[in-house]
Amino acid sequence: MRELFAGILGTYGQRVSCPESGKSWRAFVQPVRGQASQEERRSTALGDVDQRRWLYIGPADREVDREDRLLWEGQAYRVRESVLVPFGDAPLYCRAVLVRERETVV
């Protein structure tokens, strides 16, 4: 199963990188869709805030945590939460929720 998942990531995954470590790898990143009534942006005294969250599914050997900043498609994201998802006795993949870093374009 681990080899199959690694092959799927290698073929269909999107390029993600961590600028602090200089490493890049393939993972799946997609928006988390909320209820239709939820707004994606919220106005604050300091301006608009993007409230969208992004689901990250990546290799177990590239575990991400709250201190990590990831780059994907020219945009920086911060890890809000993450967990290793097990298969049998070992982790199969890392699942995380990302939020867009405010006004950061790379």
Side-chain angles (χ1 to χ4, degrees), residues 29-44:
V29 180
Q30 61 185 12
V32 174
R33 300 286 182 207
Q35 296 177 357
S37 63
Q38 288 181 318
E39 293 185 29
E40 294 182 345
R41 300 189 78 75
R42 179 174 52 93
S43 293
T44 69

Side-chain angles (χ1 to χ4, degrees), residues 29-98:
V29 180
Q30 61 185 12
V32 174
R33 300 286 182 207
Q35 296 177 357
S37 63
Q38 288 181 318
E39 293 185 29
E40 294 182 345
R41 300 189 78 75
R42 179 174 52 93
S43 293
T44 69
L46 299 175
D48 283 349
V49 176
D50 187 345
Q51 295 189 126
R52 286 176 288 195
R53 295 172 297 148
W54 303 82
L55 175 64
Y56 165 95
I57 296 176
D61 63 346
R62 299 280 186 201
E63 183 179 7
V64 297
D65 59 35
R66 289 186 67 91
E67 289 80 37
D68 288 334
R69 184 167 72 113
L70 302 179
L71 301 179
W72 172 64
E73 292 192 349
Q75 181 68 44
Y77 295 85
R78 288 286 180 180
V79 177
R80 177 179 263 177
E81 59 187 71
S82 70
V83 64
L84 286 175
V85 177
F87 181 76
D89 294 335
L92 178 60
Y93 63 89
C94 176
R95 182 180 64 217
V97 175
L98 310 177

